[in-house]
Structures are given as structure tokens and as C-alpha cells.
Amino acid sequence: MPQSSCDVLKVAEIYVNERFPNAVSPEMNPVVSEQSKTWTIEYRLPVHMLGGGPVITIEKNTCKIIDAYRTQ
């Protein structure tokens, strides 16, 4: 899948809902950062909350998740 047709937020959302179903709340906005070959989507907590959230890395050329973990 070419990068122009990859909806990185949708790919990350589907993965998070399947693998980390209780890890994301409506207050957590995904932050996308771009590297040369990947996108990283980090679900950050609001300032008033403690804890962590999922971090998903997606390869641009394939639109596939190549790394995923949850921070604390």
C-alpha cells in the first residue's frame, strides 16, 4: 500500500482497539511523528493524568505496524 493511501491514524486505532482495548480514553489525543521510513503514533495522556499509553510504529512503504508497546 503506497504511503499516500495509508491512513496511519485509522491503522493505529484498529490495532489499539484490538490489542489494548482499555488503554485509550477519549482524552488521549494521538500525536503523529514522521521519520524517514516510518510514522510513530503516540497516545499521550492529558497533563492532569498519570500513566502512559500505546505507541505504534508504522512502516511507510507497506502501511504495516512494525512495533507497538504501551508506556507506563
Side-chain angles (χ1 to χ4, degrees):
M1 183 181 306
Q3 71 178 16
S4 61
S5 63
C6 182
D7 185 344
V8 292
L9 291 176
K10 189 66 173 172
V11 171
E13 178 184 351
I14 290 168
Y15 186 88
V16 166
N17 287 335
E18 290 175 356
R19 302 276 168 60
F20 306 110
N22 299 316
V24 177
S25 68
E27 297 89 19
M28 298 172 77
N29 292 320
V31 176
V32 179
S33 60
E34 184 175 4
Q35 295 76 38
S36 62
K37 297 182 180 185
T38 61
W39 291 290
T40 300
I41 299 87
E42 182 178 355
Y43 290 83
R44 295 184 183 166
L45 291 172
V47 177
H48 66 280
M49 295 177 74
L50 296 175
V55 178
I56 311 296
T57 303
I58 299 173
E59 187 177 46
K60 287 182 178 180
N61 289 338
T62 63
C63 197
K64 292 186 179 184
I65 295 170
I66 57 171
D67 191 24
Y69 58 93
R70 185 175 173 185
T71 63
Q72 292 187 5

